[in-house]
C-alpha cells in the first residue's frame, strides 16, 4: 500500500514568521535533539508515557489505517499502534531516526512502512495521503506550529483526524512564572516552554476534544477533525 511519495523532500525556501517569544529554526532543533538523542528515552520516556499511550489509543480507535506520526523521535510510540495501522514516521533529527529504526527492527514492527528525515512544516507527501496524523510533543519543537498544523491538515484526507499531545503553558501561578523564565532558553532546550494552545490553533473551538493527561495534567490531548 502506497501512502505517498517517500523520497526526501525538496529543500525550498519558506518565509517563517518568528516565534513571538524566542526564535527556533531547523538548525537549533537538530542541534538540541542531537544532544538529547542518547538519553531521550530515559529522561522523557517515563514522564511522557501516559500522554503517548492516550494519543495512540485514540488513533487506534479512529477509522482509517493510514497513520502519519509527525516527530516520531526514537519511536517510543511505534509498538503501541495496532498492527492493522500502517504507520509512516517523520522527524528532523537523523540521530533520533536511527534509534527509531533500531526499535522497529528489534520489535519486528512490519506495519511501520517508513521512517523519513523530513521537515514537518514542509512535507513531501501528496495531499490527502493519510487518514490520521499524530504529533506527540512536537508542536512546541517546530519553529512555526501553525504552519505545522496547516501541513498536517493538507496531508490528511478531508474527514480524517489530527491528534496532538503537548505541554501547554499555564495561565498563572508558579508554573506560569517558571515557563516564562525558561522561554529565552528555547534554542538550548529545543522547545518552547511557554507554548499556548493559540500558538497551534487559530481558534481553540476547532478542537473536538481536549483532554488532560497524567502526570498532574502536565500534558493535553487535542483532537481536531480535518474538515475540508
Amino acid at each position: 500500500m502506497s501512502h505517498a511519495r517517500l523520497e526526501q523532500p525538496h529543500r525550498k525556501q519558506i518565509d517563517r514568521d518568528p516565534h513571538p517569544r524566542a526564535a527556533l529554526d531547523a538548525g537549533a532543533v537538530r542541534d538540541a535533539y542531537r544532544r538529547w538523542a542518547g538519553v531521550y528515552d530515559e529522561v522523557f520516556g517515563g514522564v511522557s508515557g501516559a500522554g503517548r499511550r492516550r494519543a495512540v489509543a485514540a488513533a487506534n480507535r479512529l477509522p482509517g489505517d493510514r497513520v502519519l506520526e509527525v516527530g516520531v523521535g526514537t519511536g517510543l510510540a511505534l509498538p503501541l499502534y495496532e498492527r492493522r495501522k500502517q504507520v509512516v514516521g517523520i522527524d528532523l533529527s537523523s540521530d533520533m531516526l536511527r534509534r527509531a529504526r533500531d526499535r522497529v527492527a528489534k520489535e519486528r514492527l512490519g506495519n511501520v512502512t517508513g521512517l523519513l528525515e523530513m521537515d514537518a512544516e514542509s512535507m513531501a507527501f501528496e495531499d490527502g495521503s493519510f487518514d490520521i496524523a499524530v504529533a506527540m510533543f512536537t508542536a512546541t519543537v517546530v519553529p512555526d506550529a501553525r504552519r505545522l498544523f496547516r501541513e498536517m491538515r493538507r496531508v490528511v484526507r478531508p474527514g480524517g483526524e489530527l491528534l496532538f499531545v503537548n505541554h501547554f503553558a499555564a495561565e498563572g501561578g508558579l508554573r506560569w512564572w517558571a515557563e516564562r523564565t525558561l522561554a529565552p532558553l528555547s534554542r538550548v532546550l529545543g522547545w518552547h516552554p511557554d507554548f499556548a494552545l493559540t500558538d497551534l490553533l487559530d481558534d481553540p473551538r476547532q478542537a473536538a476534544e481536549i483532554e488532560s493527561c497524567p502526570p498532574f495534567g502536565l500534558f493535553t490531548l487535542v483532537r481536531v477533525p480535518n474538515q475540508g
Side-chain angles (χ1 to χ4, degrees):
M1 180 183 297
S2 176
H3 291 272
R5 295 181 291 111
L6 296 184
E7 68 268 15
Q8 294 299 317
H10 174 64
R11 303 296 182 187
K12 58 185 180 182
Q13 294 296 320
I14 302 173
D15 293 325
R16 301 185 189 274
D17 294 327
H19 192 282
R21 292 172 298 280
L24 276 178
D25 54 43
V29 173
R30 283 193 180 95
D31 289 344
Y33 281 86
R34 185 176 299 113
R35 295 191 295 270
W36 288 119
V39 296
Y40 184 88
D41 291 3
E42 292 76 13
V43 174
F44 296 107
V47 70
S48 61
R52 185 177 297 108
R53 288 190 295 273
R54 288 200 183 187
V56 177
N60 286 337
R61 290 192 300 267
L62 291 170
D65 295 337
R66 302 173 302 162
V67 178
L68 172 66
E69 186 173 328
V70 180
V72 68
T74 62
L76 280 168
L78 294 175
L80 304 175
Y81 290 98
E82 292 180 356
R83 293 302 183 262
R84 66 183 176 86
K85 299 290 189 183
Q86 300 294 303
V87 183
V88 173
I90 67 169
D91 204 282
L92 195 60
S93 169
S94 59
D95 299 272
M96 293 285 198
L97 285 170
R98 190 175 305 114
R99 293 176 178 273
R101 293 186 183 108
D102 290 344
R103 190 185 306 277
V104 167
K106 181 179 179 180
E107 303 200 25
R108 299 181 180 180
L109 303 177
N111 62 317
V112 178
T113 60
L115 291 170
L116 308 170
E117 185 176 343
M118 192 179 294
D119 185 347
E121 295 181 32
S122 180
M123 300 186 211
F125 305 118
E126 297 173 355
D127 295 359
S129 294
F130 301 93
D131 302 304
I132 304 162
V134 188
M136 291 175 270
F137 318 107
T138 302
T140 52
V141 172
V142 297
D144 186 336
R146 290 192 182 183
R147 191 182 296 275
L148 164 70
F149 179 73
R150 290 194 296 270
E151 270 293 89
M152 288 174 65
R153 286 196 63 191
R154 182 185 68 78
V155 302
V156 170
R157 62 170 174 81
E161 300 276 355
L162 312 181
L163 294 168
F164 300 88
V165 169
N166 220 82
H167 166 78
F168 295 104
E171 295 182 359
L174 182 61
R175 203 181 94 189
W176 174 87
W177 178 85
E179 289 162 348
R180 298 293 293 181
T181 301
L182 287 171
L185 300 177
S186 293
R187 289 182 65 86
V188 176
L189 295 170
W191 55 284
H192 294 293
D194 57 340
F195 186 82
L197 182 58
T198 51
D199 288 321
L200 177 65
L201 304 179
D202 292 324
D203 184 347
R205 290 176 296 182
Q206 292 173 275
E209 181 181 353
I210 299 177
E211 177 186 353
S212 179
C213 300
F216 315 115
L218 188 60
F219 302 112
T220 302
L221 172 65
V222 179
R223 180 175 64 85
V224 182
N226 193 32
Q227 298 173 345

